[in-house]
Amino acid sequence: MTGLIHDSVDSLAALIPDGAKIAVPADYTGVAMELTRAMIRRGVRDLYMVCLPVTGLQGDMLIGAGAVKTNETSAVTLGEFGGAPRFQAGIGDGSLTIKDATCPAIHAGIQAAQKGIPYMPLRGMIGSDVLANRDDWKVAQNPFSEEEDPIVLLPAIKPDFALIHAKKADRHGNVFIGIRREVMALAGASRQTLVTVEEIVDGNLLRDDTTATGTLPALYVGGVAEARQGAWPLAFWEEYPTDEAHMASYVAAARSPEGFQSYVDQYVTGGARAAAAE
Amino acid sequence: MTGLIHDSVDSLAALIPDGAKIAVPADYTGVAMELTRAMIRRGVRDLYMVCLPVTGLQGDMLIGAGAVKTNETSAVTLGEFGGAPRFQAGIGDGSLTIKDATCPAIHAGIQAAQKGIPYMPLRGMIGSDVLANRDDWKVAQNPFSEEEDPIVLLPAIKPDFALIHAKKADRHGNVFIGIRREVMALAGASRQTLVTVEEIVDGNLLRDDTTATGTLPALYVGGVAEARQGAWPLAFWEEYPTDEAHMASYVAAARSPEGFQSYVDQYVTGGARAAAAE
Amino acid sequence: MTDFPSPDEIRTEELLITIIARLVEGCRLVSCGASSPIPGGGCLLARQQSGGAMQVNVLGSRLNNLMTNGGVELFDWAAQGRLDAFFLGGGQIDGQANINLVGVGDYPQAKIRWPGSFGSAYLYFLVPRVILFREEHTRRVFVDKVDFISTPGTSDPEVYRTGGPYALVSPLCQMGFDKVRKKFHLVSVHPGHTVEEVLDNTGFAIDVPDHVPETVLPDRATLNIIRQQISLEIAETYPRFAAKVFPEAVNAA
Amino acid sequence: MTDFPSPDEIRTEELLITIIARLVEGCRLVSCGASSPIPGGGCLLARQQSGGAMQVNVLGSRLNNLMTNGGVELFDWAAQGRLDAFFLGGGQIDGQANINLVGVGDYPQAKIRWPGSFGSAYLYFLVPRVILFREEHTRRVFVDKVDFISTPGTSDPEVYRTGGPYALVSPLCQMGFDKVRKKFHLVSVHPGHTVEEVLDNTGFAIDVPDHVPETVLPDRATLNIIRQQISLEIAETYPRFAAKVFPEAVNAA
């Protein structure tokens, strides 16, 4: 495999056209925050953002920057730092179309795409307003039951791009994801996976017995760029913790559109990110 | 977790009652051959044997010993050693009920059980005699298509026991399966997983970062017993190769019921196994 | 004879951990969700008391993580029937045990928007003992009717449902839920609180028996386990919670 | 000018590897199945010639394994549209490209029982270039009508099908398949063999053009790559095949 390694995260962000369907993971999986900033710099618009199964700062910033038209998610939250202010504002003024889901339903839609099947049945949800507000979901009789047995059918979710941050990749484009197995489903479901990594390493991760089990093969990968501290200010695996002071300052700034814009000016389009991440 | 570690493979085999639905993996996953011999020693009967997705010597021996009533599989073969003689004989005299499948259909049935859903749709199969002979499979319209779009629906496969051989387990019952990820699906689908291992080790495999990714947590496990060379005469991972001379002698013996019985007398109920495995 | 400390020796968090441990007793596998230090502590206490028979998955923990198949594995456990207990909160919980994690006002343009339903619309159906837990017991939380049903408390008989509300635990009381009558009932009131206080702060009707017992406190042995052992186990995942509630243990460690 | 060796310098296996490499040219991802040294060799040769653009998964190989998600991953690739080529054999293959991997005689109590259908009933529907490959070209294998359809050569238009028969390769010839006419046609006959020999040994009717070309041999550069490099790559998974077909390379290594 050649040509998967990009020189910059901005070059990776340039692969994502306006209107793309992107999939992003929960914070524990590894969030490509540097790529998120590059997407905002490039001014991407009209994204359909699927969260597997929830999002936080990444989603809030993309929403705040006006990059997201529709958000399919089970939750948007900054966790102990509180509600996601730009998400809440987007809901409140109707500028964001929300498709509320429940975590396993998004997993099932992604797994359906991974398996190349048009839909997957799933238990639960019947009688909830989550289901009542999803006209793209169906309820049907379980064909293997002789009793009345309704079950929800969830259409496959097929993102154009999955966006993740991981620990390392080799020059072939194989990516070490360790125990974050949801990346396999996300990558299988998506047309291609764009990856930032803490480090690009020599060798072949698939040929090393200690890494192969936790490696996403390059055949799923559309591009890789090195981004040290690339999940900042979020925590990344066991590698580094959340930058709590920065998160608090984000929440304070993002309460207003103007505050959010000045945060972007400072940390996304301006030069303050590198300094803050040190 | 306490009490998952058994002193002997025969004690593990005693957990499997007559009539149980067992699931066994393909040779590359790790086949519990010592446990298979213990099951034949105990004289287990009327098993429903599901193969994920195929079997070889293990299935042929269980069939030859009269332990299997029904076999759901995509193939039974001894690979380069030829056809599986007791399987062929069981088919020929009608004593074995065969449910022919195709590999991904068994994977899908097992994954449906892993996800706790009653069935999973899957592409392919339409127009095949595999499908035509499976009255437990259904074909239905894809409810998400406005065109005519038939798709096969496969019921969940819920084994009572999955039987595997693995490299090591800790005393808590966590089992190292490495890159053999199909074990996760098999274990999730099955009521419990019975495991033989080359070695029982100290410590906790889930807490060691280098092993956690490839570890089946004890919560799926019904029992573990140490069985060094427990896949013999089959190859096991990169650990040891097929005992080719022994396989050839099995194939020669198993051509007739008498030859099979004398093989069993020698290597299963007799004491020759230990010597041969050296 | 069991040695009980006096109520004023016991922190509310310690009492809640004790109650939760009782509620998950006998389970084989329990898990708590994100941002759940008290449920996590209750599960870890129950595991300690089970003598190893119970397995506990703490989301976000490295030492008490039992998931090696990605974020979906918790949900698969539930559908497989392996997960015996889980915890749900809610911006609103109503008298029929419906839960709202989405918002207040008309959907989707809610006046107040919360994060979203997470796994509630699934786990509530499939986990036999779902314990409703909130640290705020007010009429704002416990409402007559939720504005949005993230997940319903009960289902019609044709709906596949092996799980549902098992108990409600708050800083004031413990309630049970009758699935046939679709109604909560008061099980016990915590020391220092009264039935009237519960009723005043609950926006839905509940059944109150003639005699409402006081919640049994942890005995001294249990309290010692919480303070000396469970505190540190919680601290791995929730350092700030542990430092606040168990400063002695955290500082000594 | 390209340097071609004479036919008698080339082993049948080397010719077949060359043909297969041509048939998978331009693919992004190809895989061969179990017990497939010649398809495996063809894929590895094609990868070498692609300059790194093609990825090859060899089942059973450690060095050329691209699967890290269990045995199901190959099938998931196919359904995802990532897998461009695969290989199928068959105890019987008929003139409509139906494949029988199950047995001869009435089902299920077959007179002759083969192992079973493996993944054929799925991959044949979803892999654009399925190459039918048998080392035996006889009327026993290439029959008018199979006794059991493990997987059908064609499907009705309403059936979701992105894949199917792309070519048939045997030691005698290469055929193509017309999905509309549901019929094989002769593409080329290997040096040393004739159209008559093909027809005599084929139990189904095939279209034969007026002029049937001779199969183009590998040029000397390609042959050197096969003998010096591909031979050793195959040997990792198929040592006995490699030792038999490429004794010089294997002994030298």
Side-chain angles (χ1 to χ4, degrees), chain D residues 148-166:
Chain D
F148 182 98
I149 300 177
S150 282
T151 186
T154 60
S155 299
D156 291 337
E158 74 275 14
V159 174
Y160 183 92
R161 185 159 194 171
T162 56
Y166 180 73

Side-chain angles (χ1 to χ4, degrees), chain B residues 84-140:
Chain B
R86 299 330 298 157
F87 164 71
Q88 291 168 336
I91 292 283
D93 65 19
S95 60
L96 178 70
T97 300
I98 179 77
K99 292 188 139 189
D100 269 291
T102 183
C103 303
I106 298 185
H107 282 290
I110 289 290
Q111 288 181 308
Q114 179 190 24
K115 288 205 74 61
I117 56 180
Y119 68 97
M120 198 176 280
L122 199 70
R123 290 301 186 185
M125 291 170 279
I126 293 172
S128 74
D129 287 335
V130 175
L131 174 62
N133 285 281
R134 289 298 298 257
D135 56 13
D136 51 340
W137 294 358
K138 292 179 191 293
V139 178

Side-chain angles (χ1 to χ4, degrees), chain A residues 80 244, chain C residues 11-18 20 35-42 44 58 133 135 226-227 229-251:
Chain A
E80 58 185 327
E244 301 198 346
Chain C
R11 300 180 185 98
T12 303
E13 291 86 351
E14 292 166 340
L15 176 61
L16 296 174
I17 285 171
T18 304
I20 284 168
S35 311
S36 303
I38 291 173
L44 292 166
V58 177
F133 177 72
E135 285 186 85
I226 295 173
R227 291 183 177 174
Q229 180 183 333
I230 306 303
S231 58
L232 296 176
E233 291 182 24
I234 299 174
E236 185 232 343
T237 312
Y238 298 105
R240 291 203 287 189
F241 171 86
K244 193 188 72 180
V245 179
F246 305 107
E248 313 83 355
V250 169
N251 291 334

Side-chain angles (χ1 to χ4, degrees), chain A residues 74 80 92 100 102 125 129 182, chain C residues 70-71 107 113 118 121 149 240:
Chain A
S74 305
E80 58 185 327
D100 269 290
T102 182
M125 291 170 278
D129 287 336
E182 54 275 356
Chain C
Y107 184 83
R113 170 72 203 204
F118 292 95
I149 300 176
R240 291 203 287 189

